[in-house]
Amino acid sequence: MDGIDALPEPELMAAVRRGDPAAFERLVAMHRRELYAHCYRMLGSMQDAEDALQESLLGAWRGVAGFEGRSSLRAWLYRVSTNACLRLMARRPRRMLSPDHGPAAAGHR
Protein backbone atom coordinates (compact mmCIF):
# COMPACT_ATOMS: atom_id res chain seq x y z
CA MET A 1 0.00 0.00 0.00
CA ASP A 2 1.34 3.39 -0.96
CA GLY A 3 1.80 5.87 1.89
CA ILE A 4 -0.33 8.44 0.05
CA ASP A 5 -3.42 6.20 0.40
CA ALA A 6 -3.35 6.43 4.19
CA LEU A 7 -3.31 10.25 4.39
CA PRO A 8 -6.44 12.12 5.53
CA GLU A 9 -7.97 14.72 3.21
CA PRO A 10 -6.28 17.82 4.73
CA GLU A 11 -2.85 16.21 4.36
CA LEU A 12 -3.67 15.09 0.82
CA MET A 13 -4.69 18.65 0.00
CA ALA A 14 -1.41 19.97 1.40
CA ALA A 15 0.47 17.47 -0.79
CA VAL A 16 -1.59 18.54 -3.82
CA ARG A 17 -0.72 22.18 -3.18
CA ARG A 18 2.95 21.16 -3.14
CA GLY A 19 2.41 19.74 -6.65
CA ASP A 20 2.00 16.02 -5.94
CA PRO A 21 -0.08 14.51 -8.79
CA ALA A 22 -0.54 11.18 -6.96
CA ALA A 23 -2.12 13.01 -4.04
CA PHE A 24 -4.44 14.85 -6.44
CA GLU A 25 -5.47 11.58 -8.09
CA ARG A 26 -6.19 10.03 -4.69
CA LEU A 27 -8.12 13.10 -3.59
CA VAL A 28 -10.42 13.21 -6.62
CA ALA A 29 -10.73 9.42 -7.01
CA MET A 30 -13.56 9.25 -4.49
CA HIS A 31 -15.53 11.85 -6.47
CA ARG A 32 -14.79 10.72 -10.02
CA ARG A 33 -17.87 8.52 -10.55
CA GLU A 34 -20.35 11.06 -9.24
CA LEU A 35 -18.69 13.84 -11.24
CA TYR A 36 -18.96 11.70 -14.37
CA ALA A 37 -22.65 11.08 -13.63
CA HIS A 38 -23.16 14.81 -13.09
CA CYS A 39 -21.54 15.60 -16.45
CA TYR A 40 -23.61 12.88 -18.14
CA ARG A 41 -26.84 14.30 -16.73
CA MET A 42 -25.92 17.76 -17.98
CA LEU A 43 -24.71 16.70 -21.43
CA GLY A 44 -26.71 13.56 -22.25
CA SER A 45 -23.75 11.88 -23.93
CA MET A 46 -21.24 9.44 -22.47
CA GLN A 47 -18.47 10.71 -24.74
CA ASP A 48 -19.18 14.36 -23.94
CA ALA A 49 -19.37 13.52 -20.22
CA GLU A 50 -15.95 11.87 -20.39
CA ASP A 51 -14.52 14.88 -22.23
CA ALA A 52 -16.03 17.30 -19.71
CA LEU A 53 -14.78 15.22 -16.78
CA GLN A 54 -11.25 15.21 -18.18
CA GLU A 55 -11.41 18.95 -18.83
CA SER A 56 -12.74 19.61 -15.34
CA LEU A 57 -10.10 17.48 -13.61
CA LEU A 58 -7.37 19.20 -15.61
CA GLY A 59 -8.88 22.55 -14.67
CA ALA A 60 -9.08 21.50 -11.03
CA TRP A 61 -5.42 20.45 -11.07
CA ARG A 62 -4.40 23.76 -12.59
CA GLY A 63 -6.66 25.78 -10.28
CA VAL A 64 -6.15 23.96 -7.01
CA ALA A 65 -4.09 26.87 -5.69
CA GLY A 66 -7.27 28.97 -5.93
CA PHE A 67 -9.25 26.54 -3.78
CA GLU A 68 -9.50 28.35 -0.47
CA GLY A 69 -11.41 25.69 1.45
CA ARG A 70 -14.45 27.87 2.11
CA SER A 71 -16.57 25.05 0.69
CA SER A 72 -16.01 21.32 0.61
CA LEU A 73 -13.69 19.88 -1.99
CA ARG A 74 -16.68 18.00 -3.40
CA ALA A 75 -18.67 21.21 -3.89
CA TRP A 76 -15.68 22.90 -5.54
CA LEU A 77 -15.16 19.94 -7.91
CA TYR A 78 -18.87 20.03 -8.82
CA ARG A 79 -18.54 23.74 -9.61
CA VAL A 80 -15.48 23.12 -11.80
CA SER A 81 -17.28 20.23 -13.56
CA THR A 82 -20.44 22.25 -14.09
CA ASN A 83 -18.45 25.06 -15.66
CA ALA A 84 -16.65 22.58 -17.95
CA CYS A 85 -20.03 21.18 -19.05
CA LEU A 86 -21.43 24.65 -19.69
CA ARG A 87 -18.39 25.55 -21.82
CA LEU A 88 -18.81 22.32 -23.78
CA MET A 89 -22.51 23.01 -24.33
CA ALA A 90 -21.75 26.55 -25.53
CA ARG A 91 -19.37 25.17 -28.17
CA ARG A 92 -21.94 22.72 -29.52
CA PRO A 93 -23.90 23.67 -32.60
CA ARG A 94 -27.56 24.30 -31.91
CA ARG A 95 -29.80 21.34 -32.68
CA MET A 96 -32.50 21.72 -35.24
CA LEU A 97 -35.93 20.37 -34.37
CA SER A 98 -37.80 18.47 -37.02
CA PRO A 99 -41.11 20.03 -38.08
CA ASP A 100 -42.89 17.21 -36.23
CA HIS A 101 -41.49 18.46 -32.92
CA GLY A 102 -41.89 22.20 -33.43
CA PRO A 103 -44.77 24.47 -32.46
CA ALA A 104 -48.17 23.86 -34.03
CA ALA A 105 -48.71 25.52 -37.39
CA ALA A 106 -51.26 28.32 -37.60
CA GLY A 107 -54.78 27.21 -38.50
CA HIS A 108 -54.40 23.62 -37.25
CA ARG A 109 -56.32 22.40 -34.26
Side-chain angles (χ1 to χ4, degrees):
M1 179 156 132
D2 191 349
I4 200 90
D5 289 335
L7 294 177
E9 188 173 306
E11 290 181 35
L12 279 173
M13 183 55 79
V16 168
R17 287 196 168 120
R18 288 190 304 271
D20 184 347
F24 179 77
E25 180 59 35
R26 177 67 182 115
L27 198 57
V28 300
M30 61 187 96
H31 304 289
R32 185 180 295 273
R33 286 178 58 124
E34 65 181 308
L35 290 171
Y36 174 79
H38 174 65
C39 291
Y40 178 74
R41 283 190 300 272
M42 286 189 72
L43 299 168
S45 160
M46 292 179 5
Q47 182 64 42
D48 287 347
E50 184 63 36
D51 290 346
L53 178 62
Q54 292 302 315
E55 182 181 325
S56 65
L57 293 179
L58 181 60
W61 170 250
R62 290 178 177 160
V64 75
F67 175 64
E68 298 173 354
R70 290 183 290 174
S71 65
S72 69
L73 176 68
R74 180 179 179 270
W76 182 70
L77 289 171
Y78 262 83
R79 175 65 148 222
V80 172
S81 296
T82 298
N83 289 337
C85 291
L86 292 173
R87 281 190 302 274
L88 187 65
M89 289 182 343
R91 290 191 305 253
R92 285 181 178 170
R94 292 184 59 97
R95 293 184 183 175
M96 298 295 290
L97 287 177
S98 73
D100 296 336
H101 292 91
H108 292 282
R109 293 187 184 242

